[in-house]
Amino acid sequence: MDVQESRTDADINAIAGGFLRDLAFAQSSQQKMFGYKRAAAAILGLDVPLTDLIGARGELPRIPGIGPASTRVIREVLDSGASPTVEEAIDSSGKRADIDRRRELRRHFLSRAEVRRVLAAQDMRGPTLEQYRGDLQMHSEWSDGSPNVQEIADACRDRGYQYAAVTDHSYGLKIAGGMSMAEAAEQRKAIDHVNAGLGGAFKLLQGIEANIDLAGNLDLTDDEAATFDVVLAAPHSRLRRSEDQTDRMLTAIAHPAVRILAHPRGRITGSRAGVIADWDTVFASAAERGVAIEIDGDPARQDLDYTLATRALEAGCLFALDSDAHTTGQLSYAETAVAHARLAAIPADRIVNCWPLERLLAWLAEPVSQRANQSTRSAHRNREALTR
Ligand SMILES: [Zn+2]
């Protein structure tokens, strides 16, 4: 593809972590499988590339969570870019087909070290962390997250944000502790109380992550949707199917309350591809209706990734870059989303999280007809910029 992609192909931690995950799935013992999965997670979560850790005599330091067998695999990967040990284990496991499928499903995922490299790189046109003003997807104790809304506001302020949206699951998603409308009214009071205590220094919005059902409808009535400051729609079912689901996604986007299409595919690294759709058609419709496309920064999701985000950019879409945090520590996942936006060279002006609060609120309050006009104009501007 382009220069930016070829550089991320050299994400050595993603490559080594991937081989460790292959080795995990080649095990017959559950305990060994979990051990290698933990080792893979440790490598994927390192702040620096493995190549920076090698000592003067080629030795690797002790890395927490990494045992001797995993170290051997890492050594092989550092020496040759491959691992004969892992390939042998796969062959004798009889699970090569499944592991090949999993390999295909971890393309374009960035390790933590690669995210940090991309954020620090000077030669990219996408947004910087400094331009990122607030996070628009996270979960609290009101659904399947752990923090309360005060803890969320404090943690977001510590990160330098001007605003954030708490977006708990709506009542249709029972498995994720979806909030009833009575609970949502209680949560609104709690959020108002937090905002009153902050005296305008920071604004916490009440959002909702509505569930997209099999037909593309939301688990909220129009009146219910109207009580929230921002409505995200996201798929949580039919994520492992091979049939086309373009119509389902178009129906979700057509809902007048939806402002953000969150984790559009519902993919999980090395596990599931998520929704299969004609994404260029979905993006064109989102651009026309002024629905922002999310880059979900949860390291296991990275959804959209930078390759698909590039196509959404060409279609004229707006973007939301969010953490999808379920703890305050996970708010840093927003950095993964910013890194993908940088790799996709998305201008900050097209990212709603980079807007000042007043502009964000004005956009959220606009009826679809007005948003549509605005985004068509920006799509036109974007096409001009691309052909320049
Ligand atoms: Zn979700």
Side-chain angles (χ1 to χ4, degrees), residues 80-96:
S80 68
S83 172
T85 302
V86 171
E87 300 302 337
E88 263 169 48
I90 295 171
D91 283 335
S92 50
S93 74
K95 297 179 187 162
R96 180 164 288 279

Side-chain angles (χ1 to χ4, degrees), residues 169 209 236 263:
H169 293 283
E209 183 183 355
H236 299 94
H263 56 73

Side-chain angles (χ1 to χ4, degrees), residues 101-374:
R101 181 188 67 85
R102 290 179 179 281
R103 284 178 166 175
E104 196 53 36
L105 292 175
R106 60 172 189 253
R107 292 182 64 208
H108 311 307
F109 280 87
L110 311 178
S111 72
R112 174 69 185 158
E114 180 66 3
V115 166
R116 286 172 57 95
R117 184 192 70 77
V118 169
L119 292 176
Q122 299 290 325
D123 55 343
M124 287 191 187
R125 282 166 295 157
T128 62
L129 267 190
E130 290 67 37
Q131 290 174 307
Y132 185 80
R133 297 169 189 254
D135 189 342
L136 299 175
Q137 193 198 159
M138 64 193 66
H139 301 266
S140 77
E141 59 176 356
W142 291 86
S143 67
D144 58 349
S146 54
N148 63 40
V149 291
Q150 182 69 57
E151 288 163 345
I152 284 177
D154 293 343
C156 286
R157 289 185 70 203
D158 286 348
R159 293 184 61 79
Y161 298 166
Q162 292 159 21
Y163 52 80
V166 182
T167 56
D168 282 303
H169 293 283
S170 184
Y171 55 79
L173 203 63
K174 297 273 184 298
I175 194 172
M179 221 175 17
S180 70
M181 290 310 294
E183 288 168 329
E186 287 300 306
Q187 186 195 43
R188 169 67 79 175
K189 285 184 206 158
I191 288 173
D192 287 347
H193 180 74
V194 167
N195 282 327
L198 292 171
F202 175 87
K203 177 89 172 171
L204 194 59
L205 304 176
Q206 187 189 32
I208 189 83
E209 183 183 355
N211 183 45
I212 301 175
D213 76 9
L214 300 184
N217 298 311
L218 304 189
D219 58 342
L220 283 175
T221 67
D222 292 1
D223 285 349
E224 289 165 351
T227 67
F228 297 98
D229 299 320
V230 52
V231 175
L232 283 60
H236 299 94
S237 58
R238 205 177 273 184
L239 304 177
R240 295 177 185 272
R241 303 280 282 270
S242 57
E243 72 262 29
D244 179 274
Q245 300 189 55
T246 306
D247 287 345
R248 179 189 183 196
M249 304 316 283
L250 291 175
T251 301
I253 285 173
H255 193 293
V258 172
R259 293 319 198 242
I260 297 173
L261 180 63
H263 56 73
R265 284 175 291 182
R267 72 170 189 166
I268 295 291
T269 179
S271 165
R272 67 178 193 223
V275 169
I276 308 293
D278 174 355
W279 289 107
D280 296 318
T281 299
V282 174
F283 296 151
S285 172
E288 199 175 295
R289 301 189 61 84
V291 171
I293 297 294
E294 187 182 68
I295 298 180
D296 184 312
D298 180 330
R301 291 187 180 273
Q302 306 196 29
D303 180 17
L304 307 180
D305 63 68
Y306 58 96
T307 61
L308 206 43
T310 303
R311 283 159 56 187
L313 179 65
E314 284 166 6
C317 291
L318 294 170
F319 292 85
L321 313 183
D322 302 326
S323 69
D324 199 354
H326 289 67
T327 66
T328 52
Q330 291 174 356
L331 288 168
S332 63
Y333 291 176
E335 294 165 17
T336 309
V338 175
H340 278 281
R342 284 174 71 75
L343 289 168
I346 301 171
D349 191 53
R350 305 290 298 280
I351 298 166
V352 298
N353 319 64
C354 294
W355 294 351
L357 177 63
E358 301 68 39
R359 184 176 175 193
L360 177 72
L361 293 177
W363 174 69
L364 290 173
E366 270 173 13
V368 171
S369 55
Q370 277 178 34
R371 281 190 282 139
N373 290 339
Q374 194 184 55

